[in-house]
Amino acid sequence: MAHSPGRDHVVVDLPAGRLRGGVEDGVTVFRAVPYAAPPVGDLRWRPARPHPGWTGTRVATADGPSAPQPYREEGDPVLGGHGSPPFDEDCLTLNIWTPAADDARRPVLVWIHGGGFVSGSGSLPGYSGATFAQDGDLVFVSVNYRIGALGYLSFEAEGDVIGEGGDGEAEGGANPWLTDQLRALHWVRENIALFGGDPDLVTVAGQSGGAVSTAALAGHPETQGLIKRVILQSPPFGLGLPAPEAYGERVAAYLELAGVKTVAELRALDWPELIGAGLGLFARTARWGYWPTPFLPVIDGVTLDRHPARTLTHGAAAGVDVMIGWTREEANFGFALDEGYAAATREQVTARIADTFGADRAPEVYAEYERARPGARPADVLMDLITDELFRVPALRLAEARAETGHPVWAYQFDLPTPAHEGRLGAAHCLELPFVFANFDQWAHAPFLAGLTPAVRDGLATAMHRAWIAFVRTGDPNHAGLPQWDPYDTRERTTMRFDSVVTALGDLAGASRVLYGDGLPGPVSAGTAEGAP
């Protein structure tokens, strides 16, 4: 039950206790709402548990701490930063934007932030749900969850010193991050009606690592009936995900960097020490020509039983409505401004291509990428290769697999390049985010938006933002401001191209699809292992 004792705040009575939110520009907002017990002390690396509740009225008008993560005060040259203090392990909270805390049963959009499994926050200004609540009459929920070492270390090898706390008993499990998100979804199911939302009409959306999370959630046995639709923005489905045994080498390297031998000793460290050791793991796991991922989801057969890319083509999750897309030059985000990669040679890039296609095909594949981008430097070929391997081709495979089984999927490619950094970023990873949220004022700190023409920028944002709203509300992204957007099928392969002019094209990424074919390994190829292409 909601009460409105004042014009600037709203009180909601939850099973866990009374909560007081605020009213911001006509939208009712509740911030730092706890959805799970603080994962501190003995609960570090344990599965998320229900929050015990509180007495009195909890004030929910200020953001809570973000999950601990690396931080540079000077920011970065692309996003300008992806998480800012305060940080704290007691971070399992969510934020809610709603037109009103009433009984209107509006569609719900749950946002899972990305960040390479090491950064980000649901409380970032750019992830404000105000525009979705105002423009779409939706209830928007953003989630904080454990990331980096605190979310992605896995201690599954019982009997191994890595997995013991000194008493011979396994100390933790894989994928604490996923248990957080599962708990958040159950919280939404149990409570969102009190905030004007419909628990039977929930869309989960995520970008990058958050899109991997979204797919994992959609196919999880604990979420059956909880998720109606998913939006997958730039999922790096080309990542190979390890089993616990394979991941053990990475965990052992991390423990060495942290200067400890057991999980009990690791649990005694303060979280800043854990972040420092994680920075060391970046260097230990980096490979030339590959996106750095020191921490990864683990396919443990318990919390996660298959690659997330496979969940939406199997079982109950096959019936979930899906929209999936990528940016034209995803990899430019991580590589285009790196002078070391800018100086890459043809020989280096050909050797990298051989990792995927074999030495015999590598020269031919290099030539294909050159033809697709006249005047391409070796660095450009490398970035297009990484974009295809990690993002575009695995997304196409999912779209193809869905289409073959008769389950609809809408596909898009974001093509608008940014003029920032002399145009070197192109249509890079993350660039679609401010367009989807249509809140450029909240992204003023982000260098990658510099130089965009306001009229083009705002027109494209309106088209994308309204498409996301339509999909959340109906399962179909079409609206009056778009050309007809048909589901992806294996005949027309319709893909919406979001650029200064929005166009629905047949087989937009056909060159990449044909180049990679069906015979190479990949998470959504029938009968293959869980590894990357």
Side-chain angles (χ1 to χ4, degrees):
M1 181 178 179
H3 312 277
S4 298
R7 296 176 62 184
D8 61 346
H9 61 274
V10 176
V11 174
V12 172
D13 290 321
L14 304 178
R18 177 165 285 193
L19 195 68
R20 192 180 81 192
V23 178
E24 303 174 11
D25 298 324
V27 176
T28 300
V29 185
F30 296 83
R31 301 181 184 273
V33 181
Y35 66 83
V40 300
D42 288 342
L43 295 185
R44 184 187 275 180
W45 295 300
R46 301 284 192 187
R49 300 181 181 182
H51 195 275
W54 57 88
T55 58
T57 299
R58 183 183 181 99
V59 178
T61 55
D63 291 331
S66 297
Q69 59 194 275
Y71 174 69
R72 295 186 302 173
E73 191 169 353
E74 67 274 18
D76 69 78
V78 181
L79 291 178
H82 198 231
S84 56
F87 303 118
D88 197 277
E89 284 189 79
D90 183 4
C91 63
L92 300 187
T93 62
L94 49 81
N95 290 352
I96 303 166
W97 288 261
T98 179
D102 54 22
D103 59 359
R105 295 182 73 86
R106 300 171 179 85
V108 179
L109 176 55
V110 177
W111 177 253
I112 310 292
H113 72 78
F117 313 123
V118 295
S119 71
S121 170
S123 303
L124 288 170
Y127 299 150
S128 165
T131 51
F132 280 104
Q134 290 168 331
D135 302 334
D137 194 31
L138 306 176
V139 177
F140 185 98
V141 181
S142 65
V143 180
N144 281 347
Y145 57 95
R146 285 174 282 183
I147 54 180
L150 290 162
Y152 289 86
L153 281 183
S154 171
F155 309 110
E156 283 294 287
E158 187 171 1
D160 187 329
V161 71
I162 292 175
E164 293 180 4
D167 56 5
E169 183 180 348
E171 274 287 305
N175 305 312
W177 61 275
L178 183 57
T179 72
D180 296 346
Q181 295 170 10
L182 289 168
R183 178 93 294 276
L185 276 184
H186 281 282
W187 189 97
V188 168
R189 177 71 179 184
E190 296 157 6
N191 295 279
I192 205 64
L194 296 168
F195 298 88
D198 184 348
D200 294 321
L201 197 55
V202 173
T203 298
V204 180
Q207 185 264 349
S208 193
V212 173
S213 293
T214 298
L217 291 167
H220 200 282
E222 291 185 25
T223 67
Q224 300 309 302
L226 301 187
I227 301 174
K228 183 76 171 176
R229 304 181 177 109
V230 294
I231 302 174
L232 308 172
Q233 298 177 211
S234 300
F237 282 156
L239 286 173
L241 301 185
E245 297 78 14
Y247 201 58
E249 294 183 13
R250 191 166 297 205
V251 175
Y254 179 85
L255 290 173
E256 179 187 337
L257 289 163
V260 300
K261 294 184 177 180
T262 69
V263 179
E265 292 174 342
L266 198 63
R267 187 170 279 123
L269 298 181
D270 292 333
W271 68 256
E273 297 175 87
L274 302 180
I275 301 302
L279 292 173
L281 198 60
F282 266 98
R284 290 279 189 99
T285 58
R287 297 171 62 197
W288 192 89
Y290 290 86
W291 202 290
T293 51
F295 299 101
L296 288 166
V298 177
I299 299 175
D300 63 346
V302 180
T303 58
L304 189 62
D305 66 357
R306 65 183 66 182
H307 197 293
R310 297 175 65 94
T311 63
L312 292 160
T313 59
H314 297 73
V320 172
D321 299 329
V322 177
M323 182 163 71
I324 187 169
W326 55 90
T327 72
R328 186 179 63 204
E329 288 128 345
E330 298 271 11
N332 290 32
F333 176 96
F335 299 91
L337 304 184
D338 186 310
E339 295 304 323
Y341 281 106
T345 66
R346 187 185 187 100
E347 291 71 25
Q348 283 178 303
V349 176
T350 302
R352 170 64 180 81
I353 292 172
D355 288 352
T356 299
F357 290 90
D360 290 344
R361 285 197 66 197
E364 165 207 338
V365 171
Y366 190 104
E368 287 294 328
Y369 275 111
E370 275 191 316
R371 276 192 285 273
R373 186 192 289 266
R377 304 167 303 149
D380 298 321
V381 172
L382 176 64
M383 285 181 274
D384 288 345
L385 173 83
I386 296 169
T387 293
D388 275 347
E389 282 186 4
L390 195 54
F391 299 98
R392 182 159 37 220
V393 170
L396 285 169
R397 285 183 170 144
L398 175 57
E400 294 270 324
R402 293 269 306 183
E404 287 173 359
T405 57
H407 297 291
V409 55
W410 279 263
Y412 72 87
Q413 178 170 297
F414 182 88
D415 272 26
L416 184 71
T418 174
H421 296 290
E422 298 80 43
R424 284 181 287 166
L425 290 172
H429 190 64
C430 294
L431 186 57
E432 91 286 1
L433 285 166
F435 293 84
V436 167
F437 281 80
N439 60 350
F440 293 100
D441 58 319
Q442 300 296 327
W443 293 81
H445 64 288
F448 73 168
L449 293 179
L452 284 169
T453 303
V456 171
R457 180 197 73 182
D458 295 345
L460 180 56
T462 297
M464 293 187 72
H465 182 58
R466 290 178 61 193
W468 265 240
I469 288 169
F471 184 79
V472 171
R473 297 194 66 85
T474 69
D476 184 330
N478 282 283
H479 61 80
L482 282 182
Q484 178 62 34
W485 186 355
D486 294 326
Y488 189 98
D489 60 33
T490 54
R491 184 171 60 88
E492 298 294 336
R493 296 186 168 91
T494 300
T495 306
M496 188 61 73
R497 181 189 184 198
F498 286 113
D499 201 341
S500 54
V501 176
V502 180
T503 313
L505 298 174
D507 207 11
L508 173 60
S512 296
R513 180 182 58 79
V514 171
L515 180 62
Y516 282 75
D518 297 323
L520 293 175
V524 289
S525 299
T528 67
E530 304 289 357

